[in-house]
Amino acid sequence: MKIKQLSVFLENKPGQLSGPCRVLADAGINIITMSLADTQQFGILRLVVREWQKARDLLEQSGCVVKTTEVLALEVPDRPGGLADVVNVLDQNSINIEYMYAFTFGRGDQAVIVFRFEDVDAALEALRRSKVGLLDSEDLCRLSER
Amino acid sequence: MSIVSEMENRVWSREELMPRPELRALQLQRLRDCVERVSRVPFYREALNRNGTTSEALRGLDDLRRLPLTTKEDLRRNYPFGLFAVPREQLVRLHGSSGTTGKPTIVGYTADDLDNWSTLCARFLPSYALNLAEAAAAQGTDPRSLALRFGHFGAEPWTEDMRCRIELAFGLHAFNNYGLSEVTGPGVSGECCRRNGMHIQEDHFLVECLDPDTLEPVRPGTPGELVITTLTKQAIPLLRYRTRDITTLDDSPCACGRTGMRMARVIGRSDDMLIVRGVNVFPSQIEEALLRVDGTAPHYQIEVDRPGALDEMTIRVEMRPEKFTDSFAALEQLRRDISRTVSSIAGLHAKIELVKPQTLERFEGKARRVFDRRREPGRGP
Ligand SMILES: [Zn+2]
């Protein structure tokens, strides 16, 4: 259920984002979702891609600093209070969220959101006991192709 | 106790333990003699006349500042024999140092100079010699052929990290010492067993620590250029010789009992000094800060600019891949740690930019690390 996410260090200069995107596009690697977080000083580009090993190697060869981390993709009901319910489950189990970002697609009436937890195994454990839907990388690939 | 540590702790002469007031009286007396001697050198005679200073006019060591400074350029200009204070027939040894720039510098010694020199070296060479001897003997090398060469360890500025690596590599204690060929070769100062600075042989050398820009004494404990007056040299006595080496002086008592002031290892050359918002900064201080934060010194660049009324210093540091963790907080922490360490070592706030590995320019041989944009056309005063 754990999904590999690639985090790429970016300097805070114009054009820093296009480099990694170009590398992946040239290799025909599909970006399933991505998020960019930055301060005035630097940024972190986070990517979920198909063929993450290949993507990581290509990015590193192009001079990027890449860190592979594990995240979870959660189904969140696409209605008011949907996210609050999911976060509630996590709170009750004292699971700390580091950050989250959304996929551009959903499944039926469910949105899909990437969560990065301090302790991914504890989060997985807690979520399995709850009714929150979890997607694996195969699900993500399938959904992104539609 | 092993023979080695016994020898390391041994004090070699009474002068090394002399109470400071007594030492200062001896220095003043020797300084007067020295001024007397240099009056025979045309270069100094003219300079002293200009200042209106004579040996009798020196009432205390503070009057040292009334004496002229000597630069390496002065030595070059008076090449070859313009600086000898004794007739040529009294010279027993000449030593030409082929610098990387300009004309060679010639240095001469009288028999007295050589005696003094061996005394000075004997004060701290045993620790080198014994350590080295053990190492050399293990390899079947005659240690006597190595002892003096070892003294040159002190000639290059090095970091504590380098010292550790040398010690590991050679399996010996690397003691710092300091000297320069224009003055005497090794023997100006050396570390004692405590290894917390190099004791200056103050009965033979009178030292000052000056701001290279204003030539005023720096505040105690602040880095400045080491300026040396040779108190006992006969062949080429030097008044207030500007070494261009940057160090700090410490005259607090040392646990070993020696009273000689201690100098820190040389952290750079006065030529490398940057003046940023009135603060003297040396690239080696930045390197030291990065080393302290990261454990290894990453590749870095210093840029100084004056976008408005004030100087700004930016330090670009190449990110090491193993330091990157996908955590914003960790990256911010790294920047803050570098910034805080730079301000504690260099006394100046700098902007820290983290950049990708292998992206900062590298030059053949010595890396060019400092970019002073204030001097570029159309910028700054
Ligand atoms: Zn000592």
Side-chain angles (χ1 to χ4, degrees), chain B residues 271-293:
Chain B
D271 315 70
D272 299 334
M273 185 178 83
L274 287 161
I275 305 174
V276 184
R277 264 176 274 151
V279 179
N280 298 348
V281 185
F282 302 93
S284 59
Q285 293 177 302
I286 307 304
E287 195 157 324
E288 184 78 40
L290 293 174
L291 200 67
R292 213 179 276 180
V293 172

Side-chain angles (χ1 to χ4, degrees), chain A residues 17 24 29 32 36-37 40 46 48 111-112 133-134 136 138:
Chain A
L17 187 56
L24 297 180
I29 292 173
I32 300 175
L36 176 65
Q40 268 202 321
R46 292 168 176 135
V48 176
V112 181
L134 279 161
D136 62 17
E138 305 240 313

